[in-house]
Amino acid sequence: MGKRAPKTTPRTVQHTRPPLDRVRRIHHEIARGRYPNARQLAQELEVNPKTIYRDLEFMRDRLELPLEFDPRRNGYYYTAPVTDLPAVSISEGELFALVLAEKALGQYRGTPFEKPLLAAIEKIAAGLPETISVALQDLQQSISFRTRVEPLLDLEVFHTLAEAVSHRRQLRLQYRKPGGGPVEERTVDPYHLANINGEWYLFAYDHLRQATRTFVPMRIQSAVPTGKTFNRPKKFSLENWLRGSFGVVQGTGDYQVVLRFPAAAADYLREKKWHESQQLRDLPDGGVEVSFRLSGLTEVQRWVLSWGGHCQVIAPPELAAAVRQSAKLILKQHAFQGDSSQQPDGGA
């Protein structure tokens, strides 16, 4: 059996020539019957021999060229005639998807996921034909992602979380609850790390609460492995866990939420899927009625208030009462701002 190019671990390498051009050079030398080996090719192309082995592996396994190693000639040859390299084909949709993937990297900036994702995209782009590479550059000038709010991550803590989730390592957290509460120590089994609507969340089994809980990485003061590992329950599914929530907060109730929007907001409502249980009903006046099946009301209450009076709660009554209470608090907080006639004596 002929010698096969050894398997290597992918990593980012600085190349003196584009990968596709290098593969063409290797193909040309082999097709001429020169029986080149990896050391000779590496010297000629000014790269590391490991890079040549990766190229040879790509030619044999991905391009399906009849490539073998002849130990007597100490070099590579084709066991069947090869006139030219197979064409590298990529559809317009695949090219568009590649650009979107690169642009979407913004939410992973600074995290342990950024470098491997960027390296993978760079390797794919480097292997494209010149004409497609030019089109890729043009698309990059036409598409972008923007976020108004960027989470402030402690990269050391985030890296520990990512490693723990990947290797199923138990952690001891120093966690700050929202609202200025004291820092608490929590021992957790981290099940899943997710980016939801631009925000990062850790879903983990909390040994103190003896239940699965949602943690915000920005509130974790420190994360230290306990030295123990755990088995993630087969029944755990993030999709199932979040099914009844409007965002990430898992409630214990069962609510049929019905909201009504005027015509001015109706198109915006129709253009998005706000929840998997969403149902829309057009109203005679051009408005729209939307309903959700939720396990909690906290997050949808905030969403209703964000519409600034352009959303009417039809059901349930608990949600309507909570919105009214919040509206009263907003009025109280802003009672004397911008209206000099309502200012108390001495106000300026």
Side-chain angles (χ1 to χ4, degrees), residues 105-144:
L105 269 175
Q107 61 186 326
Y108 301 104
R109 300 294 184 203
T111 73
F113 310 127
E114 178 185 2
K115 288 186 178 179
L117 284 171
L118 187 57
I121 291 174
E122 287 177 344
K123 287 179 181 178
I124 295 172
L128 296 176
E130 182 178 352
T131 54
I132 292 182
S133 298
V134 172
L136 179 63
Q137 294 175 3
D138 292 340
L139 275 176
Q140 286 178 331
Q141 300 296 321
S142 307
I143 303 170
S144 66

Side-chain angles (χ1 to χ4, degrees), residues 28-222:
H28 182 67
E29 294 299 303
I30 296 174
R32 289 176 59 189
R34 295 185 58 188
Y35 288 83
N37 57 42
R39 181 181 58 80
Q40 294 168 344
L41 290 168
Q43 290 179 348
E44 183 175 341
L45 299 176
E46 300 178 340
V47 295
N48 191 291
K50 291 183 178 180
T51 300
I52 299 298
Y53 282 125
R54 281 194 294 272
D55 293 338
L56 292 168
E57 183 178 308
F58 174 81
M59 293 170 66
R60 185 190 62 241
D61 298 340
R62 298 294 297 277
L63 299 183
E64 298 182 350
L65 294 172
L67 180 66
E68 290 290 346
F69 182 83
D70 187 339
R72 292 177 301 176
R73 304 288 296 269
N74 190 33
Y76 290 90
Y77 71 103
Y78 288 139
T79 60
V82 178
T83 56
D84 201 358
L85 287 175
V88 177
S89 62
I90 182 170
S91 69
E92 184 178 353
E94 290 169 333
L95 180 63
F96 191 80
L98 180 62
V99 175
L100 288 181
E102 193 277 333
K103 294 298 183 180
L105 269 175
Q107 61 186 326
Y108 301 104
R109 300 294 184 203
T111 73
F113 310 127
E114 178 185 2
K115 288 186 178 179
L117 284 171
L118 187 57
I121 291 174
E122 287 177 344
K123 287 179 181 178
I124 295 172
L128 296 176
E130 182 178 352
T131 54
I132 292 182
S133 298
V134 172
L136 179 63
Q137 294 175 3
D138 292 340
L139 275 176
Q140 286 178 331
Q141 300 296 321
S142 307
I143 303 170
S144 66
F145 285 75
R146 293 289 184 269
T147 55
R148 290 183 304 151
V149 181
E150 180 180 352
L152 301 176
L153 292 171
D154 184 320
L155 297 184
E156 183 177 348
V157 168
F158 192 89
H159 181 77
T160 301
L161 299 181
E163 288 286 315
V165 169
S166 177
H167 299 287
R168 301 181 182 181
R169 297 170 182 163
Q170 188 181 87
L171 295 175
R172 184 174 294 110
L173 308 180
Q174 296 295 322
Y175 190 70
R176 177 182 56 81
K177 296 181 68 175
V183 175
E184 298 180 348
E185 182 174 284
R186 303 286 187 91
T187 299
V188 302
D189 298 339
Y191 291 163
H192 192 94
L193 193 61
N195 186 289
I196 302 174
N197 297 327
E199 301 284 347
W200 286 100
Y201 298 93
L202 175 70
F203 299 88
Y205 179 81
D206 186 345
H207 286 266
L208 177 64
R209 307 300 184 201
Q210 295 187 351
T212 303
R213 290 288 187 265
T214 304
F215 296 89
V216 179
M218 283 74 74
R219 298 175 190 156
I220 298 176
Q221 306 289 310
S222 66

